Structure formats: C-alpha cells, structure tokens
Amino acid sequence: MNYDKKIDAIVNYIKSGEKSVDNFKVGFEVEHFIINFESMETVHYDGENGVRQSLMEIEEMGYEASYEGENIMGLSADEFAISIEPAAQFEVAFAAKKTMDELFDNYKEVMGKIVPVFDKKNQLLAEVGYQPKSKIDDLPFIPKKRYKYMAKYFKEYAGTHPINMMKGSGSLQVAIDFKDEGDFKKKFFVSNAISAFLYSIFDNAYIFEGEVYPKHNLRQTIWENCDKGRTGVYPFAFDKDLSYKKYAEKILATDSIFIHKNGEDIYTGPTPFEEIFDEDSSDDMIYHALSIVFPDVRLKKYIEVRMPDNVPYPYNFAAVALIKNMFYDEDILDFLYELFADMTYEKLQILKEKTVMQGIDTIYKDKKISEWMLEIIEMIKEDYKYVRPLEELLKKDQTPKDIYESLYKQDSKNAIYQYSANKFIKEN
C-alpha cells in the first residue's frame, strides 16, 4: 500500500466518526487505584483478594469478560467497560450519553454494582491523580504482554517518567464529538490550547512516590517527560492547516511498540506504523495506532480530552459537564477560540512550566487561570448544577488537591476514603 492510501485509510476511519449536532454525546472514563483501607497500600492483581479475584466476581454478575491466557483482563456490558491498567489500576469507561443526567444515572447504577465487590474486602476505589502511598517499584506489572513490551520500549527510547505514567497515574478522560473537519479543527485547537488550565483546576496528586509532592500538576509533568513522540501536546495542533491528514501523518510516523497478530501481542519496538500498514491497514490496526499514542488530546472517532486527574464526586461530574459545555455550547467555544487565538506550541509550553510552580494562580494574559475558569463557568447554562461545586472551589482559590491535603493532614485514611467511589455509593 502506498503512502497516500495509508493516509486515506486513517482519515476515512476518523471521518466515519463525524456526527450531526443532534446526535452529539459525551462519554467519560476514570482510572481508580484499588487501595487496602487499613494499610493504604495498592492492591495487586494476583493473590488473595487481588484485583483478578474481584474481576472474576464481577464477571459472575453476567458480564462479558476478556482474557489473556487464564488471566481476566476486562469486562464489558452495554453501559460500561472495565479494563485493567499496568499496575492493576481499575479503569471504568461509561457509555456516552446525550445529557449529564443520563450519564449520572448510569454512573450511579454501574458503580452501585461494582463498589460492593471491593467494599466487602475493605478495599477502596481511590480517586486521586497518583498512587496514594505505594511506590511504582513495589507494584508488579499485571500479566499482560503489551505492558511488558511498552516498558521495554520506554526504557530504551522514552523520557524520564514513562513507568510513573504506566503504574502511578490516574486520570479522568472525556470524549466529545465533532460534526466535520472544520468542527474538529476548532475543537482540537481549543482543547490543546486550554490543556494547562484543565491540568491545573483538576490537579489532584498530593503524594508522589510515598512523599508529599511540593509542586502542582504532577500528571502534567509526568506526561511531558514520558515519550515526546506520543505524549504532551502535538505541535501541529496550532497550525492553520490542521487537518485529519496531519493527524494521520503523525500516526504513521509514530513507533508502533507492539501489534496484535495471529491472536497475540508481538513486540515491534521502533518500527513506525507506516511500515506496519504495509501488511495490515485494517480498522483494528488503525484503532490500535490511534490508541497507542497518549497526547493530552487524542483523536479517534471522537476527541478525547485527557488532562484532568481522577477526582471524586462531585468534581468528576463537574469536569465532564465543564468539558461538554466548552465544546458543545457554540458561544463558549467561540469565546475560547478567541481567548487562545494567538496560542502557539511554544507559548503553551512556557505556560505549562509556570503552572507547575503556580497552579491555578498562574497568570494568562491579564487574569489568573482560576479567574478565567470562573468566567467560563458563568457562561454555562444547561448543566450549571453539575459545575457549581467546581465554581465554589475555584472561588476559594482551591483545587481538589488542596482539599485532599487538608484532609490528609488530619487523617490520611479518612482522606482516601473521602476521595473514593465507595463514599459516593454509600451516600447515594
């Protein structure tokens, strides 16, 4: 297959995700740490009361499971899907819905089934941005070949923090739709331009490798120092000629690390997808190619906004509602497009560096990040009830991390309980 046909295959795949405005939905997924409430240590995949055992108990409820050999690796149903990250982080992806109320109802129902499995083991589904106590060197990889391949590749070719990303980090990701290429360009530009803002207001990583982290936006720093070829912000996000094609060109130039072939994952290391596509340009391979990159904003058949740390209720739904309205309310989207009209990759990198030291107090143009976000929240009409808790937090010049810190200093165990899905289910 020649180069142009490879580009066309990816472009056509992305284009197939276009939707009419009437059919726009929003979806989200969250990465939890499974924590032993007594020790606050992270629960491993194997062993008595391990994550593997819990997955098998959930499977018994009637959900479809996926296995690698004898090891259960995920579960799926109409309204959600569960997958396990490298150090047994428990990721739940919730089916996309048109309204926040539908999303919230589904979230309550799904978590109401999952949480009791862990409750009876005295385990919490912790909602923080980094491991609350355990260190990554003490956490084994789950028995999934692809994660060993990723670790092998990152050790040789990547930056300083890829294993922290794999084993240590927990995020909240929001999926938004686009109607055509022009709509994609506008949303992709804005979502990248505002990345430092979203990292800052949803900063929720107080502990790093067992110690208090003295700066801000830990996950942002980890991603910036993971693998510059596939993480952070893609410089072309700010190009005037941004297009599906430009994104496809980036994908073809990206190292593949591994591919799935003949029923198993095979290490391919630095072989770029341009070469991989000579043998396989199927939709499955395109999906893999689009999924094995981890930029702040990722494109598939929808746009993934990936900056927020995982945060507890009500801030998790504030994050989803905020992002939904930023990109589906044309007045807000136009406001943001104008606000960041002169943003460049270089300016954004400088802004990100400042936020590491100053967080939401970082000045952009003539206002602090917190002030800009309050102005945006004031424009939200449809889902204001969901973003109000975030508004109240920002008016206090605080982030979820600040609340966690105050709780932690009083009682570390209570802090992690307060920042867990278990608390949400008990109260709802």
Side-chain angles (χ1 to χ4, degrees):
M1 179 182 289
N2 66 35
Y3 184 79
D4 288 341
K5 288 185 177 179
K6 297 172 188 176
I7 291 291
D8 288 343
I10 299 174
V11 167
N12 290 336
Y13 182 91
I14 294 169
K15 190 175 177 62
S16 70
E18 295 176 350
K19 293 180 175 66
S20 66
V21 174
D22 290 342
N23 289 321
F24 277 4
K25 295 181 179 180
V26 60
F28 75 108
E29 59 186 56
V30 288
E31 295 172 324
H32 306 87
F33 302 107
I34 306 301
I35 304 299
N36 181 302
F37 183 49
E38 290 303 318
S39 68
M40 287 187 63
E41 297 284 354
T42 295
V43 176
H44 296 182
Y45 179 80
D46 289 312
E48 184 178 0
N49 291 330
V51 175
R52 182 180 188 272
Q53 180 180 321
S54 295
L55 283 170
M56 295 181 73
E57 290 177 26
I58 298 171
E59 181 188 12
E60 291 173 0
M61 298 179 190
Y63 302 119
E64 183 177 349
S66 60
Y67 280 78
E68 186 167 305
E70 297 181 351
N71 296 304
I72 185 170
M73 290 296 161
L75 296 157
S76 60
D78 291 340
E79 297 300 324
F80 70 97
I82 295 170
S83 58
I84 305 301
E85 297 298 302
Q89 300 101 309
F90 191 88
E91 181 177 273
V92 186
F94 300 91
K97 302 292 183 181
K98 285 190 175 183
T99 70
M100 289 300 303
D101 288 345
E102 290 176 303
L103 269 181
F104 183 65
D105 289 343
N106 183 45
Y107 177 78
K108 284 198 299 182
E109 182 177 354
V110 171
M111 299 308 289
K113 296 174 181 177
I114 292 171
V115 167
V117 173
F118 296 93
D119 258 339
K120 67 183 183 182
K121 301 182 178 74
N122 203 23
Q123 296 173 357
L124 302 178
L125 283 81
E127 297 178 305
V128 289
Y130 198 84
Q131 293 282 357
K133 183 177 180 180
S134 296
K135 299 179 181 180
I136 59 171
D137 286 346
D138 298 327
L139 298 172
F141 279 108
I142 67 172
K144 195 169 188 176
K145 281 186 177 181
R146 64 182 57 187
Y147 294 143
K148 294 179 180 178
Y149 293 158
M150 289 172 68
K152 171 182 169 68
Y153 172 86
F154 285 144
K155 184 177 181 180
E156 186 169 356
Y157 298 103
T160 57
H161 286 72
I163 307 304
N164 299 96
M165 176 275 286
M166 294 180 70
K167 290 186 178 183
S169 64
S171 68
L172 181 153
Q173 302 172 18
V174 181
I176 56 174
D177 290 321
F178 50 91
K179 63 183 179 182
D180 54 31
E181 191 166 25
D183 192 38
F184 150 73
K185 290 170 64 175
K186 190 173 186 178
K187 289 173 177 173
F188 195 74
F189 169 82
V190 169
S191 55
N192 278 277
I194 203 169
S195 62
F197 284 41
L198 294 179
Y199 273 122
S200 298
I201 65 172
F202 296 110
D203 182 10
N204 191 32
Y206 179 60
I207 299 296
F208 177 60
E209 292 300 282
E211 303 291 337
V212 172
Y213 186 66
K215 300 178 183 179
H216 302 277
N217 299 8
L218 172 60
R219 276 188 57 259
Q220 174 184 279
T221 297
I222 288 172
W223 284 111
E224 287 293 321
N225 294 279
C226 179
D227 180 0
K228 292 301 289 184
R230 74 183 73 237
T231 63
V233 168
Y234 287 153
F236 63 79
F238 305 101
D239 291 352
K240 297 300 182 184
D241 60 347
L242 172 65
S243 62
Y244 294 154
K245 181 181 179 182
K246 275 208 164 185
Y247 199 94
E249 289 172 342
K250 173 61 178 176
I251 295 301
L252 286 185
T254 300
D255 293 349
S256 53
I257 304 181
F258 70 91
I259 61 171
H260 195 73
K261 185 176 182 180
N262 298 327
E264 64 176 332
D265 291 332
I266 298 171
Y267 183 71
T268 52
T271 306
F273 276 106
E274 182 182 355
E275 293 184 27
I276 299 296
F277 274 40
D278 285 331
E279 294 187 13
D280 185 357
S281 60
S282 65
D283 280 357
D284 286 345
M285 183 58 71
I286 293 172
Y287 178 80
H288 169 57
L290 294 171
S291 300
I292 198 64
V293 297
F294 316 111
D296 286 355
V297 185
R298 182 163 66 180
L299 178 62
K300 295 179 182 175
K301 293 184 179 181
Y302 44 83
I303 297 170
E304 286 181 351
V305 180
R306 299 162 47 84
M307 289 75 82
D309 287 2
N310 192 8
V311 289
Y313 181 82
Y315 305 118
N316 50 5
F317 271 80
V320 179
L322 173 67
I323 292 167
K324 171 182 177 282
N325 281 269
M326 286 196 308
F327 295 102
Y328 289 168
D329 185 315
E330 288 295 333
D331 291 337
I332 300 176
L333 184 59
D334 287 343
F335 172 81
L336 294 171
Y337 193 69
E338 289 300 317
L339 175 62
F340 295 112
D342 60 348
M343 181 62 79
T344 64
Y345 175 77
E346 290 74 21
K347 288 180 180 178
L348 179 59
Q349 293 304 112
I350 292 171
L351 182 64
K352 280 188 167 185
E353 291 173 4
K354 290 180 178 178
T355 62
V356 170
M357 303 306 299
Q358 300 169 20
I360 59 174
D361 292 327
T362 305
I363 299 294
Y364 177 71
K365 294 187 174 178
D366 60 339
K367 295 181 184 178
K368 296 192 298 184
I369 284 177
S370 57
E371 294 171 333
W372 280 120
M373 295 310 303
L374 284 169
E375 186 170 342
I376 293 165
I377 289 171
E378 287 178 1
M379 300 173 68
I380 292 176
K381 301 178 285 289
E382 183 176 325
D383 300 307
Y384 175 70
K385 68 179 181 180
Y386 288 104
V387 296
R388 185 173 59 194
L390 175 64
E391 179 182 47
E392 294 170 353
L393 194 62
L394 291 173
K395 283 181 177 178
K396 298 174 185 176
D397 203 32
Q398 292 182 323
T399 67
K401 176 185 175 182
D402 294 319
I403 304 301
Y404 186 84
E405 178 180 3
S406 64
L407 292 168
Y408 187 92
K409 288 179 176 179
Q410 297 174 36
D411 183 343
S412 59
K413 287 175 64 175
N414 179 54
I416 201 64
Y417 173 73
Q418 295 293 327
Y419 273 49
S420 72
N422 306 60
K423 175 179 181 287
F424 169 78
I425 290 302
K426 183 176 181 180
E427 295 182 353
N428 288 272

